[in-house]
Amino acid sequence: MNESKKDVRKIQPLVMKQLQSVFQKNRVAHAYLFEGEKGTGKVAVMRAFVKLLLCEQPVENVSCETCRGCRRFESGNHPNFIQIEPDGQDIKKDQMLQLIFEMNKTGLEAGRKIYVLHRSDRLNTSAANTLLKFLEEPQGLITAILLTDKPYAVISTIRSRSQIISFAPIPYEERVKTLIGEGLTASMASTVSMLTNDLEDSFRMAKDEQFAQVRKTVLKLVEAAETNVHETMLILHEELLPLLKEKEQTEQALDLLLFAYRDLVTVKANSNTSYTYPDFLVFYQRRALHCTFEQLSHKIEAILKAKQQLHSNMNRTLLMEQLMLNMQGGFSFV
Ligand SMILES: [Zn+2]
C-alpha cells in the first residue's frame, strides 16, 4: 500500500493531533516511543510526522508534499533521516555507534535530524547503554522515534527517557473505509478486515489471486451446503481442496466458512453488525427464511470442531470431508 496515500489523520486521529500540536508549539521531544499492536499504523504515522518535521513550508501543521524536503523524504534519500532495523536478532552496539557518528556529522543539511529504530524492543543491553546518553543529550536538533509492537520488552531505561505515544487498534469500520479508499471493493475490504487487524496484511491478502479464489469457492460451497447438498463433495474435491496446499490455507478457508455462517446468523437475527460478505446478502436473506438457529449453530459448531482437529494435525482431506458430512447430517464418524 502506498503509505503516503493513507490518511493517517483518519487512522489515528488522536495521535496525529497530539503530534501536530507538539509541532505547532515547537515542543518536539528528543525521543518518542511509538507503541501499539502490529497494524495500528505506527509506521504510517511515523512517516507523516517525520515528513512534517522535514518539510520546508508546512501548511497548518501538515507537510506540503511539494518542497525539496518533502520530495527528498518521499524518494527515500533525505540526508537527515536514518532508519535502523535489527541486524539479525538484535539491534547491536555497532549500529548505535555508527548511528551516533552519522548524527554528529557536520555537513549534513541544516535543520532537524531524525532517526527511527524499528522494533526497538530488540535493542540489546550494550546497544541500549550506548544509545542512552545520546538519547538524553543529543548534540543539536535531533529527534529519535522508536517503534515497537512489544512495549513490555523495551528496556526500561530507554522507555523512561522517551515520550510514550500509544496507538490504539483501528476500528473495523475505519479499516474497511481505508481499504475502499485504496481501491478495494466493499465486499473484499469487509472480508479481509475480518481476518486481520493489520491494514498492510489486509491489502496484501486482497490482492492475492489465490485468496480471491478461496473466498469465491468457500461461498460456492456455502451456497451448495444450503441449497444443493449433493454438490458439496464435488466442489470440495474439485475446487476447494486443490487450492489448500498448506495448513494455514486450510485454516483460512475454515475461517472464511465460519464467517459466512456468522453472517447468516446475523441476518436471521436482524442484527445490525458488519458482514464479512456484503456481496452475499441477498442469498443470506433468502436462506435465513428457511433455516433455524439450531441448524446454523450446529454447522458453526462443526466448523469450530474442524478448526480444532486441524491443530491436532488430522489429515486435511479427511477433515474437510467429515466437516461437510457433519454440517449436513448432524452425525459424526469420528
Ligand atoms: Zn514540504
Side-chain angles (χ1 to χ4, degrees):
M1 195 182 315
N2 183 344
E3 294 280 353
S4 66
K5 272 168 66 191
K6 260 195 281 182
D7 194 340
V8 288
R9 279 164 298 170
K10 285 194 188 140
I11 295 176
Q12 289 291 352
L14 294 178
V15 167
M16 253 347 266
K17 225 176 167 177
Q18 186 182 355
L19 292 172
Q20 285 172 312
S21 149
V22 150
F23 175 79
Q24 185 177 21
K25 293 178 188 145
N26 205 12
R27 285 203 203 134
V28 178
H30 287 324
Y32 291 96
L33 178 61
F34 285 10
E35 57 178 44
E37 284 170 30
K38 187 172 178 293
T40 46
K42 295 187 294 297
V43 172
V45 169
M46 175 276 283
R47 289 182 59 85
F49 185 46
V50 171
K51 198 170 13 168
L52 175 61
L53 295 177
L54 294 174
C55 179
E56 289 157 18
Q57 46 204 355
V59 184
E60 291 176 10
N61 307 310
V62 177
S63 54
C64 74
E65 307 297 324
T66 52
C67 73
R68 206 170 69 114
C70 285
R71 279 184 286 124
R72 291 180 101 173
F73 175 77
E74 276 303 325
S75 67
N77 52 23
H78 200 297
N80 285 12
F81 177 55
I82 295 181
Q83 301 189 74
I84 308 273
E85 303 254 6
D87 173 13
Q89 273 305 309
D90 301 345
I91 299 178
K92 299 188 167 69
K93 182 176 177 178
D94 280 353
Q95 289 178 280
M96 292 302 98
L97 291 172
Q98 181 65 28
L99 170 74
I100 293 167
F101 174 75
E102 295 287 338
M103 283 287 143
N104 285 336
K105 233 195 237 175
T106 50
L108 288 185
E109 299 272 302
R112 187 182 299 275
K113 298 178 207 171
I114 300 149
Y115 62 95
V116 168
L117 301 190
H118 292 273
R119 312 173 85 173
S120 56
D121 46 278
R122 301 275 193 98
L123 269 170
N124 70 27
T125 315
S126 60
N129 287 337
T130 306
L131 180 64
L132 218 49
K133 197 163 164 51
F134 186 67
L135 206 57
E136 281 180 316
E137 299 157 14
Q139 305 294 311
L141 206 54
I142 296 180
T143 296
I145 302 176
L146 283 60
L147 307 180
T148 184
D149 303 341
K150 303 186 179 73
Y152 53 87
V154 175
I155 293 177
S156 60
T157 45
I158 294 285
R159 194 187 155 84
S160 64
R161 282 161 180 80
S162 310
Q163 192 158 330
I164 312 283
I165 307 281
S166 295
F167 284 63
I170 306 168
Y172 173 84
E173 299 298 344
E174 205 47 64
R175 283 182 282 125
V176 171
K177 255 191 259 167
T178 305
L179 290 168
I180 293 172
E182 293 284 329
L184 297 190
T185 60
S187 39
M188 188 51 102
S190 306
T191 306
V192 291
S193 300
M194 207 59 96
L195 288 168
T196 168
N197 294 331
D198 185 327
L199 278 174
E200 302 293 327
D201 286 350
S202 298
F203 197 71
R204 221 173 293 123
M205 216 183 267
K207 290 289 166 193
D208 179 9
E209 291 273 328
Q210 147 94 16
F211 177 78
Q213 200 58 38
V214 173
R215 180 189 190 276
K216 202 171 125 192
T217 312
V218 164
L219 289 177
K220 196 172 170 185
L221 196 67
V222 171
E223 204 165 355
E226 293 304 305
T227 56
N228 187 4
V229 287
H230 304 294
E231 272 184 19
T232 52
M233 283 298 176
L234 196 70
I235 296 171
L236 176 68
H237 281 282
E238 295 198 346
E239 300 185 45
L240 187 59
L241 284 173
L243 292 170
L244 310 179
K245 292 180 186 69
E246 309 288 333
K247 185 174 168 182
E248 291 69 32
Q249 292 167 332
T250 309
E251 176 157 39
Q252 193 173 65
L254 287 172
D255 281 334
L256 289 171
L257 190 61
L258 185 65
F259 291 147
Y261 279 96
R262 202 166 69 182
D263 276 2
L264 194 46
V265 170
T266 305
V267 170
K268 195 168 171 57
N270 271 325
S271 130
N272 222 354
T273 43
S274 322
Y275 301 109
T276 308
Y277 308 101
D279 46 333
F280 224 48
L281 208 55
V282 174
F283 170 79
Y284 292 143
Q285 282 160 347
R286 229 179 323 123
R287 188 57 204 148
L289 302 172
H290 301 286
C291 59
T292 65
F293 282 115
E294 286 72 22
Q295 285 168 332
L296 293 176
S297 86
H298 169 76
K299 284 169 182 164
I300 287 173
E301 274 167 30
I303 301 167
L304 291 172
K305 185 177 170 197
K307 280 190 65 165
Q308 275 176 357
Q309 286 169 328
L310 184 69
H311 287 287
S312 58
N313 287 322
M314 181 175 166
N315 174 291
R316 296 206 292 273
T317 302
L318 189 65
L319 179 148
M320 293 300 280
E321 283 174 354
Q322 183 68 57
L323 171 60
M324 293 301 119
L325 292 173
N326 286 348
M327 282 173 60
Q328 286 165 32
F331 53 86
S332 168
F333 295 144
V334 174

